[in-house]
């Protein structure tokens, strides 16, 4: 069973809607009633971490930010974040003014939230977000929510991301099911038009971030050496996926091409029944005539016969039909969806870790597009592999078709007007077409000639057996040859449709490689093991009376085309600064 790491909410009427733990940390509880004097240079004011008063704290969260083709997303009300703070007198401030108050009765804990409820950004058609119909506090699963909370005891939490269920909890960690995409960026204004590709889009799965600081405990440790700062700052992020999807309407033509071949093959295989029935009737007459010549005297004929029964198990073409849905390459990076008319690349798997994608990376991980250029060379090979997979699936379906032929005949010999029963021929052939075709030994073993008294005389009358076997084999071989010709002819048809698309997707990856960059787990105050990028967002560093502002951005996507920069930040959360009252 897949487990989720969740941040639980506070008690109270609206607590179930909270996203992160909005209580102080356990380390704080261990220092109840502990008081510390400021250094003489900072006067002698005492600070009590058990009393929820006197500290200044701030927090914020924003799901979407940055610059898109010259448009500063900070100016768009649709994607405005949420933030709040409390001053040394315990008075709260917040923005935007419309933010929901999740602690309306609270005096020392203040929680604000907003949700994104737009399908597209006004004036910026290249970015789309899920359409949300519910706002906090009536928030529904699948919504993008932004939360901030501060307390007078110096705790601050910012969180943003996809709400996983009706509890209002934001998930950080594995998902039980594939979450909905949280954003899409059209590349039509970024990469040039490419033959075979109608449009291209970068898509992300749910992107979440949380930042939390126990400011009082951190100040106590840093300023007075009391306790420890371990666990006082916590930042996490989660990226449920990052992909590139190319739209290619021509792919839809693969569907009727494959379905047409399936129909033709079904008709071909279905013709076995009449073909075998006719062949067995004429063959037996020929064989008996030959037998009469060999015996020289009398005449052997059929006294009685059951009608030949030919039962076919209809071929199962489901494996071939499944290839018209989403099919992945051997590395699970490229996928083809003829029914949907798309080719996709799982960039999270390609650029990150095979298992965790872009999660679990150290702060300030920078990923460039070099892997995209390498991936472009694999698109045509993937297309060829898909065509072979379709042909193999069709071939296997025909070969695995079940066949059973049954017939019983009683032979009699007549001499000078007197006829006596001499033998019984029993035909009970069963197996798959693939196993029976070209296997005369197997066929012969399932044809029995028995003389009076039950003695098997098949070996004595092998010419008769061989004639029957030859008749069955001829029909099987003809049917399979016709099926093979249909499957072989399908290859060039599929290639003519798919090859231009594969070449176009390869060109798209090549064009995107030099202009894309990804920054994962961006934390501007952290310098090791990776320094922050030169254009990292600003933050407020720690001072002698205040903690730093602890910022984390789950994912920042950078695109540079025609000197127009796109830098889209997804899921940014901040906690802090937390400072010593009016001194902060």
């Amino acid at each position: 069973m897949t487990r989720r790491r969740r941040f639980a909410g506070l008690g109270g009427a609206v607590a179930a809607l909270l996203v992160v733990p909005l209580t102080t940390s356990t380390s704080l509880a261990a220092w109840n009633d502990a008081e510390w004097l400021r250094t003489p240079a900072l006067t002698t004011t005492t600070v009590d971490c058990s009393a929820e008063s006197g500290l200044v704290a701030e927090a914020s969260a924003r799901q979407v930010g940055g610059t898109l083709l010259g448009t500063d997303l900070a100016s768009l009300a649709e994607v405005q974040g949420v933030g709040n703070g409390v001053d040394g007198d315990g008075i709260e401030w917040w923005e935007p003014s419309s933010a929901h108050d999740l602690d309306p009765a609270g005096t020392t804990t203040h929680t604000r939230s907003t949700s994104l409820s737009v399908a597209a950004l006004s004036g910026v058609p290249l970015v789309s977000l899920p359409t949300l119909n519910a706002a906090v506090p009536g928030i529904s699963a699948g919504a993008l929510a932004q939360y901030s909370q501060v307390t007078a005891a110096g705790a601050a939490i910012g969180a943003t991301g996809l709400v996983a269920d009706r509890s209002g909890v934001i998930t950080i960690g594995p998902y039980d099911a594939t979450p909905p995409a949280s954003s899409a960026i059209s590349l039509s204004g970024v990469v040039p038009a490419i033959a075979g590709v109608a449009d291209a889009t970068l898509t992300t799965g749910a992107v979440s971030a949380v930042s939390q600081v126990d400011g009082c405990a951190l100040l106590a440790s840093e300023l007075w050496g009391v306790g420890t700062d371990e666990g006082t700052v916590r930042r996490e992020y989660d990226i449920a996926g990052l992909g590139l999807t190319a739209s290619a309407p021509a792919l839809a033509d693969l569907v009727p091409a494959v379905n047409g071949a399936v129909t033709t093959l079904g008709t071909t295989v279905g013709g076995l029944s009449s073909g075998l029935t006719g062949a067995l009737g004429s063959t037996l007459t020929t064989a008996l005539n030959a037998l009469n010549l060999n015996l020289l005297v009398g005449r052997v004929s059929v006294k009685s016969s059951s009608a030949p029964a030919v039962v076919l198990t209809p071929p199962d073409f489901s494996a071939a039909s499944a290839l018209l849905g989403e099919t992945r390459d051997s590395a699970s990076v490229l996928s083809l969806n003829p029914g949907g008319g798309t080719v996709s690349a799982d960039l999270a798997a390609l650029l990150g870790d095979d298992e965790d994608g872009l999660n679990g990376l150290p702060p300030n991980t920078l990923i460039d597009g070099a892997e995209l250029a390498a991936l472009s060379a694999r698109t045509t090979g993937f297309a060829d592999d898909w065509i072979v997979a379709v042909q193999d699936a069709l071939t296997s379906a025909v070969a695995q078709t079940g066949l059973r032929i049954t017939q019983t005949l009683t032979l009699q010999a007549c001499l000078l007007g007197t006829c006596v029963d001499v033998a019984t021929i029993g035909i009970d052939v069963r197996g798959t077409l693939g196993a029976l075709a070209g296997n005369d030994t197997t066929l012969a073993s399932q044809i029995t000639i028995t003389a009076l008294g039950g003695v098997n005389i098949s070996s004595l009358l092998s010419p008769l057996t061989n004639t029957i076997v030859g008749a069955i084999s001829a029909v099987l071989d003809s049917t399979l040859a016709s099926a093979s010709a249909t499957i072989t002819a399908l290859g060039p048809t599929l290639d003519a449709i798919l090859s231009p698309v594969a070449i176009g997707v390869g060109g798209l990856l090549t064009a995107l490689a030099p202009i894309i960059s990804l920054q994962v787990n961006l934390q501007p105050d952290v310098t090791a093991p990776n320094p922050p990028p030169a254009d990292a967002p600003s933050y407020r560093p720690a001072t002698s009376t205040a903690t730093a502002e602890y910022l984390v951005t789950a994912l920042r996507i950078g695109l540079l085309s025609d000197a127009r920069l796109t830098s889209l930040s997804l899921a940014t959360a901040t906690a802090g600064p937390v400072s010593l009252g009016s001194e902060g």
Side-chain angles (χ1 to χ4, degrees):
M1 175 173 142
T2 304
R3 299 181 61 87
R4 295 176 175 175
R5 288 178 288 146
R6 291 181 171 179
F7 298 97
L10 283 178
V14 294
L17 301 173
L18 236 24
V19 135
V20 288
L22 301 175
T23 57
T24 53
S25 72
T26 55
S27 62
L28 198 60
W31 297 332
N32 284 344
D33 299 323
E35 295 186 358
W36 303 281
L37 293 177
R38 299 189 188 186
T39 60
L42 298 176
T43 75
T44 58
T45 302
T46 62
V47 175
D48 185 351
C49 282
S50 67
E52 296 192 349
S53 62
L55 293 176
V56 176
E58 298 180 34
S60 71
R62 187 184 186 107
Q63 182 65 24
V64 180
T67 302
L68 186 65
L69 297 179
T71 299
D72 184 357
L73 299 183
S75 64
L76 301 180
E78 295 96 326
V79 292
Q80 186 174 9
V82 67
N84 72 337
V86 62
D87 64 18
D89 296 322
I91 299 174
E92 180 199 15
W93 60 264
W94 68 92
E95 58 182 5
S97 59
S98 59
H100 295 275
D101 186 355
L102 298 188
D103 284 308
T107 58
T108 57
T109 298
H110 308 281
T111 309
R112 297 286 168 172
S113 66
T114 59
S115 65
L116 300 183
S117 56
V118 293
L121 305 184
S122 299
V124 188
L126 298 180
V127 175
S128 62
L129 300 166
T131 300
L132 310 178
N133 298 317
V136 176
I139 198 166
S140 63
L144 291 167
Q146 304 169 132
Y147 295 84
S148 64
Q149 185 190 68
V150 293
T151 73
I157 302 172
T160 181
L162 185 84
V163 174
D165 53 35
R166 291 306 298 268
S167 69
V169 173
I170 285 179
T171 295
I172 297 286
Y175 292 85
D176 289 337
T178 302
S182 64
S183 63
I185 309 169
S186 173
L187 299 177
S188 59
V190 178
V191 295
I194 296 175
V197 176
D199 190 20
T201 306
L202 278 175
T203 58
T204 68
V207 182
S208 304
V210 61
S211 180
Q212 179 179 6
V213 62
D214 183 346
C216 191
L218 182 58
L219 289 171
S221 173
E222 295 294 328
L223 298 183
W224 300 289
V226 177
T228 175
D229 62 2
E230 183 177 355
T232 55
V233 178
R234 178 185 182 190
R235 283 177 280 192
E236 294 192 51
Y237 77 98
D238 188 85
I239 302 170
L242 176 67
L244 172 66
T245 299
S247 173
L251 291 177
D253 294 338
L254 295 172
V255 176
V258 173
N259 288 340
V262 167
T263 299
T264 300
L265 291 171
T267 301
T268 300
V269 173
L272 272 172
S273 181
S274 59
L276 288 169
T277 300
L280 286 174
S282 61
T283 296
L284 191 57
T285 299
T286 302
L288 290 175
N289 288 335
L291 182 61
N292 289 328
L293 293 174
N294 290 335
L295 292 176
L296 299 179
V297 293
R299 181 172 180 81
V300 179
S301 62
V302 177
K303 176 184 178 181
S304 62
S305 171
S306 64
V310 179
V311 179
L312 283 167
T313 302
D316 181 6
F317 293 111
S318 60
S321 297
L323 292 169
L324 297 177
E326 185 178 31
T327 305
R328 291 182 174 270
D329 69 349
S330 58
S332 292
V333 172
L334 290 171
S335 63
L336 172 67
N337 188 337
T342 60
V343 178
S344 302
D346 185 345
L347 301 186
L350 175 70
L351 304 175
D353 180 84
D354 289 341
E355 182 176 349
D356 298 322
L358 296 174
N359 295 313
L361 298 178
N364 304 320
T365 296
L366 176 63
I367 302 172
D368 60 27
E371 292 290 342
L372 296 183
L375 182 63
S376 66
R378 291 162 45 186
T379 56
T380 53
F382 176 44
D384 293 340
D385 291 344
W386 183 86
I387 293 172
V388 171
V390 171
Q391 292 177 305
D392 287 348
L394 294 174
T395 300
S396 177
V398 172
Q400 293 302 314
T401 298
L403 171 66
R404 185 176 184 183
I405 310 167
T406 57
Q407 187 176 19
T408 302
L409 306 98
T410 300
L411 303 183
Q412 63 179 5
C414 299
L415 181 63
L416 301 177
T418 301
C419 298
V420 295
D421 293 349
V422 293
T424 299
I425 301 176
I427 300 174
D428 189 1
V429 174
R430 63 180 71 189
T432 63
L433 301 188
L436 296 174
N439 195 337
D440 290 355
T441 301
T442 298
L443 290 173
S445 69
Q446 299 182 79
I447 299 171
T448 305
I449 304 176
T450 307
L452 294 177
V455 179
N456 190 325
I457 59 173
S458 300
S459 59
L460 298 177
L461 297 178
S462 57
L464 183 57
T465 301
N466 292 340
T467 300
I468 297 172
V469 167
I472 295 174
S473 291
V475 175
L476 292 179
D477 291 345
S478 174
T479 298
L480 293 183
S482 178
S484 179
T486 298
I487 295 170
T488 300
L490 180 63
T493 300
L494 298 180
D495 183 67
I497 299 169
L498 188 53
S499 181
V501 175
I503 294 172
V505 173
L508 171 65
L509 292 168
T510 299
L512 191 58
I515 65 173
I516 189 172
S517 68
L518 303 176
Q519 295 167 5
V520 180
N521 192 14
L522 184 59
Q523 299 183 25
D525 60 299
V526 176
T527 58
N530 304 312
D535 60 346
S538 61
Y539 75 99
R540 286 168 285 180
T543 69
S544 61
T545 58
T547 73
E549 175 186 26
Y550 297 99
L551 180 151
V552 57
T553 295
L555 176 65
R556 188 160 72 164
I557 302 171
L559 296 165
L560 181 61
S561 177
D562 298 331
R564 294 183 299 171
L565 176 66
T566 289
S567 179
L568 188 66
S569 297
L570 298 176
T572 296
T574 71
V578 176
S579 60
L580 299 175
S582 60
E583 243 66 50

